[in-house]
Amino acid sequence: MTATVVELMAISGLAPSASAPRAAAVSQASSPRGRCDTRLLPSFDGLRMSSRVRPISPAKRLAGSLMAVRRGAVVCEASEATIQLPEVSKMTWQSLVVGSETPVLVDFWAPWCGPCRMIEPTIVKLAKAYEGKLKCYKLNTDNNPDIATQYGIRSIPTVMIFRNGEKKDAVIGAVPESTLVSTIEKFVVR
């Protein structure tokens, strides 16, 4: 439905107004042209309508066209910076993971790995939820092959839980949040 709303905004040239109530739903009443009524669009944080003026091509100038074509586009302006997991490397492994008093979750990943990128927001969410009870880091396996080999990483993403410097559990692949939560709950002090 979001794509439809965005498409309708681009087609109709309407921008969401700041005065529209946040909880307002898009009216499903059809207009004579068969499109949804876009008068009650919710306001979006981080999105705004942008109009670009495209220069007129020389061929259109010769044909007598004097008007530039305006195209509506939705521009995303993130209100908060994307939060990333802190990185751990060969140099910091001993102090951050092995020497930690609290349980540690390590995400073994690589920049080229699509599933690794898919699972990272879930791990960031869990890092916030378990703040103070669990430390979360990510380790780039391309830059730190020694550690990946030491712990038998053959597939990424692999999420490992360490407690008192020892590997306790591992989850391989881009799994649902519930799988990670059940794994974390086994080792987090309540």
Side-chain angles (χ1 to χ4, degrees), residues 1 9-11 30 34 37-38 43 52 66 73 82 90 94 102 106 111 119 126 129 134-135 162 178 190:
M1 179 162 175
M9 289 169 49
I11 291 169
S30 295
D37 188 3
T38 58
S43 63
R52 298 185 297 176
L66 298 175
T82 305
K90 184 178 181 179
Q94 190 68 28
T102 59
V106 179
I119 200 171
L126 293 173
L134 177 76
K135 294 180 181 178
F162 293 86
S178 59
R190 289 172 187 84

Side-chain angles (χ1 to χ4, degrees), residues 40-58:
L40 297 176
L41 288 174
S43 63
F44 295 101
D45 288 338
L47 295 179
R48 68 175 171 81
M49 291 297 293
S50 171
S51 295
R52 298 185 297 176
V53 178
R54 209 171 39 170
I56 303 171
S57 68

Side-chain angles (χ1 to χ4, degrees), residues 37-135:
D37 188 3
T38 58
R39 286 176 278 172
L40 297 176
L41 288 174
S43 63
F44 295 101
D45 288 338
L47 295 179
R48 68 175 171 81
M49 291 297 293
S50 171
S51 295
R52 298 185 297 176
V53 178
R54 209 171 39 170
I56 303 171
S57 68
K60 286 187 179 180
R61 271 194 213 127
L62 291 175
S65 177
L66 298 175
M67 295 178 57
V69 178
R70 295 189 78 147
R71 301 180 102 190
V74 177
V75 179
C76 179
E77 294 176 337
S79 57
E80 295 179 13
T82 305
I83 299 172
Q84 294 185 343
L85 291 173
E87 293 234 11
V88 67
S89 67
K90 184 178 181 179
M91 294 175 59
T92 59
W93 182 262
Q94 190 68 28
S95 62
L96 294 177
V97 179
V98 177
S100 176
E101 297 288 322
T102 59
V104 179
L105 179 145
V106 179
D107 175 20
F108 291 84
W109 74 291
W112 49 264
C113 172
C116 299
R117 291 176 179 262
M118 286 175 28
I119 200 171
E120 186 176 9
T122 304
I123 296 172
V124 168
K125 181 179 173 184
L126 293 173
K128 286 181 187 177
Y130 289 98
E131 192 172 2
K133 298 178 182 178
L134 177 76
K135 294 180 181 178

